[in-house]
Amino acid sequence: MTVENHWTLADLETVVPGGVRTRATDRLRLAHDASHFLLHPRAVVTPTDPAQIGQLLRLSGRHGMPLTFRSGGTSLSGQGVTEHLLVDTRRNFKDLQVLDDGMRVRVQPGVTLRQVNLRLAPYGRKLGPDPASESACTIGGVVANNSSGMTCGTEHNTYRTLESLLLVLPSGTLLDTGAPDADERLRATEPGLFAGLERLRDRVRADPDSVRRLKAQFAMKNTMGYGLNAFLDHTSPSEILTRLVVGSEGTLAFVAEATFRTVPLHRHAAAGLLVFETLGQAMAAMPALVAAGPAAIELLDAVALRVAQLDPKADPILRALTVREHAALLVEWQESDPGVLDDRVRAVGAVLAELPLASPPRLSGEATVRAALWHIRKGLYAAVAGARPPETTALLEDIAVPVPALVETCAQLTELFGRHGYEDSVIFGHAKDGNLHFMLTERFSSGRAPERYEAFTEDMVDLVLAHGGTLKAEHGTGRVMAPFVRRQFGDELYEVMRELKTLCDPTGILNPGVLISDDAAVHLRHLKSVPTVDPEVDRCVECGYCEPVCPSKDLTTTPRQRIVLRREIAVAEAAGDRRLARELRRAYSYEAVDTCAVDGMCATACPVLINTGDLMKRLRAERRKPVARAGWRVAAGRWAGVTRGMALGLDLVGKLPPALPEGVTRAARAVFGTGRVPQWQRDLPRGGRARKPHAVADPHAVYVPSCLGTLFAPADGGQGVDAALTALAERAGIRLLVPGPIAGLCCGTPWSSKGMSSGYAAMRDRVLPALAEASLDGRLPVVSDAASCTEGFERLVGAGGGKVHVVDAVAYVAEQILPRLTVRRRLASLALHPTCSSTRLGLNDALRAIAEAIADEVVVPDGWQCCGFAGDRGLLHPELTAAATREEAQGVAVRDFDAYASANRTCEIGLARATGRPYRHLLELLEEATRETGR
């Protein structure tokens, strides 16, 4: 029975009320993950708890509805796509509990690995697995794929650090494998499964060849097939089941909760990039390096090095290298004690001195240097894939071989690339573990694989298995290697895997076609074609790294989803499916364009630096009518009057009974559209005060107060950031000049965010001469007191080619003013909200420095992200701010703080609305803390 039957859909709705979606937009945006496979689900279901999952599994079993669990969408082997029922577990499964002072952690599948590590960091602990996708991958995928990573090896991977699971079995049975009576519970509720696990355990252990194969295979990183080593490592059926579910890719049970043993967080480290003339030299250096005890040794071949040279964080030495057949090893040593690390680095120096390096070795403990190196390595896949030819798909494979076979394996892989026409393929990976990644780019027309891809895969399989290796080390078997599981493990162990699958999932509803498949060509079907759609986003590899930082992710769409929906529209139009294209376009207007905050946070997470907001701004511009363009162009020339008029309007409306303006604006929005009429709410502040020039002799800096201070009055009890900064500067002996035409100046963001190019140009032409004159042609810094405006001025100055240097008030105060002040009153606690602009501008360290100067405890609440107010988005679409701030508001609500601060007036409004707490600009709090008593 398929979910297309109405009565089946009704049953789904009964099991998951309000959680069943069948619109094309919902199905197609979640169809895409980081793999090179593409299947369109028939429905998307979003359960809220394990009980609903159990009911859903029972229903699916009765009606033969296959389903696939999906969370972060970062899997690379096709295990997260389906043509049946897709179960979204990211949205609701987000509970996280730190246990035993950080020694253990219990977490649900929708939480990202980075979120877990952020919660563990204050305890000096972290999770063992450390994949490159840690910012976006979720615990559900970490368990399902037996994630490892760059430093954890096989010792601290998911399999080794997992303590227990809360499982929902296909029958609907809920089993806590960490409970003292787990075995008794399993025997009572699932007697066939219990007995079957014992039988398979004894069968495996009794076969010497099986034991030999499993020990050899799982001495390496290995995510091929099921982890049958569990039958050797454990005796209890519940313990065996726990470990079998690890790496099972959602084919045996649903993981509702996982409890991990954590590992130490080594806060002190030294890293460096060792460059060799050839790959062979790099591999020959491995024994000496491994003996020196590094936490990580990462390989980059010549092609990877050329890509690394283009990374914005690459240092001048790397950029200047003339790469021929070079290879490099990124090495890092980690310790908890800085003295021990210093001793280690000195000892390593003697080892490095003996290596045939192409450039002098440099090990650095500086956080910025290390972060840059790891940024290059972690973003290598997406960066290489982003540079691929148009309309091609990136395929990332990963293998592992015994370390002594690395040199020959690399050479033979390179020969295979040439033989099959993949000359620009790149090799990188975790050399210490014998784990290599290599990437191909291929053109899949109409979802079919060309003959060369099929032939290459067969040759690659033969190569790896000839060296006693595994065809999947980290990324999971998925669809891409399912046909080769039998070849790697042999007939006997493969039959054990098939029987295990039947024991756990007798009706075969869990992720069919993945990991175990009767289809010998499953890896050649349903391959992703990538049409050219928009120059701003065509290089997107659909990795999903952008999604966790997107403020609209729990409301409408994410950056990846905005991009893939554009691709789906293009595919539908090319296929002549005008009905589907129209349906997608209608939904796209609100769910992608209108609710994008255009905050640019996606670019901070994207390995290829795509700012999806740039595309959204262009699409907004394309739908603007000439009268709107003309109006905004006129407003640019009369900005002083426009802002003052809006402020007076807020004052007037604020004097009316709140129900009246709320009702009027609600009615107007219904008639004219939510994108044109803001929704007035009673928590909006009154209008602010007009900006006025301030002339001084011999100024230290030019101060440009934000027009946000004209539009909105300060928070209750506050003086406003403009008055605070002026007072702080006077207190520190700093003279600030406010330009004469200040009332009519703006950073241009109101125009650029709407795609109003002519109005933006008109404002730019006013601002640049005024700032150039006031700053003495760039000799004085220009200080902006709102982070979003600082960013806007930087863009405006950059677009105009001016020499003006813009600095945010937070950075200016931290560097120039704070050292000259005396803090007279300290706060016990302060909740701090960094903004999207302060994050992109690199201001958060300065923000925290000021906060820590005036508060004993500074807390950035759990769930912090861009508030989504985004200029007028919070007025036009208040639901965006509500969704974006929900998790942070929960983090704030757990306790009281003495004060609440941010660095932008609209963010203060958005956070105050979400939390019910009085947010103010951090500089206002600094001014009060340094004010003399009695003043």
Side-chain angles (χ1 to χ4, degrees), residues 8-21 44-57 59-60 67 85-88 92-93:
T8 303
L9 284 174
D11 282 348
L12 282 173
E13 186 66 36
T14 300
V15 170
V16 187
V20 181
R21 290 170 285 169
V44 176
V45 182
T46 310
T48 59
D49 55 40
Q52 285 192 352
I53 292 283
Q55 292 176 311
L56 178 61
L57 289 172
L59 179 69
S60 296
L67 54 81
L85 199 62
L86 190 66
V87 182
D88 177 8
N92 295 316
F93 290 83

Side-chain angles (χ1 to χ4, degrees), residues 120-135:
L120 289 171
Y123 302 91
R125 309 292 292 182
K126 70 182 188 72
L127 286 182
D130 60 336
S133 58
E134 54 88 24
S135 64

Side-chain angles (χ1 to χ4, degrees), residues 609-832:
L609 305 179
I610 293 173
N611 185 343
T612 312
D614 291 340
L615 171 61
M616 297 301 107
K617 287 189 281 189
R618 176 168 65 80
L619 295 179
R620 289 174 185 174
E622 290 174 356
R623 69 185 188 185
R624 298 294 182 188
K625 295 182 178 180
V627 63
R629 295 176 185 275
W632 277 94
R633 187 168 56 249
V634 170
R638 303 175 181 176
W639 194 236
V642 170
T643 53
R644 194 68 198 122
M646 288 190 286
L648 292 173
L650 285 172
D651 284 340
L652 175 62
V653 171
K655 296 176 182 178
L656 301 174
L660 179 61
E662 285 178 340
V664 170
T665 54
R666 193 177 301 115
R669 284 161 62 83
V671 174
F672 300 107
T674 58
R676 292 192 177 98
V677 181
Q679 175 62 56
W680 188 87
Q681 296 185 43
R682 61 189 67 197
D683 59 2
L684 275 178
R686 299 287 184 94
R689 49 182 173 260
R691 296 176 291 171
K692 297 179 180 179
H694 178 64
V696 297
D698 194 20
H700 293 95
V702 177
Y703 173 34
V704 184
S706 169
C707 47
L708 291 174
T710 299
L711 291 172
F712 300 114
D716 290 345
Q719 58 184 311
V721 65
D722 53 347
L725 179 57
T726 301
L728 288 168
E730 291 177 355
R731 200 166 295 157
I734 298 291
R735 296 180 295 278
L736 299 179
L737 178 148
V738 180
I742 183 61
L745 301 184
C746 179
C747 68
T749 299
W751 292 267
S752 65
S753 65
K754 295 175 177 59
M756 298 294 186
S757 55
S758 60
Y760 183 79
M763 180 56 72
R764 181 193 63 213
D765 293 343
R766 295 188 65 183
V767 169
L768 291 182
L771 295 187
E773 179 182 353
S775 67
L776 305 179
D777 205 21
R779 291 194 291 276
L780 298 177
V782 173
V783 179
S784 167
D785 63 15
S788 61
C789 299
T790 305
E791 193 173 21
F793 278 123
E794 282 194 352
R795 282 196 301 265
L796 189 144
V797 170
K803 300 178 181 179
V804 173
H805 171 58
V806 181
V807 61
D808 189 81
V810 168
Y812 187 78
V813 168
E815 182 178 342
Q816 301 294 334
I817 295 180
L818 183 60
R820 307 183 187 194
L821 300 177
T822 300
V823 175
R824 304 176 186 279
R825 289 169 294 280
R826 292 182 63 83
L827 300 165
S829 61
L830 170 65
L832 182 64

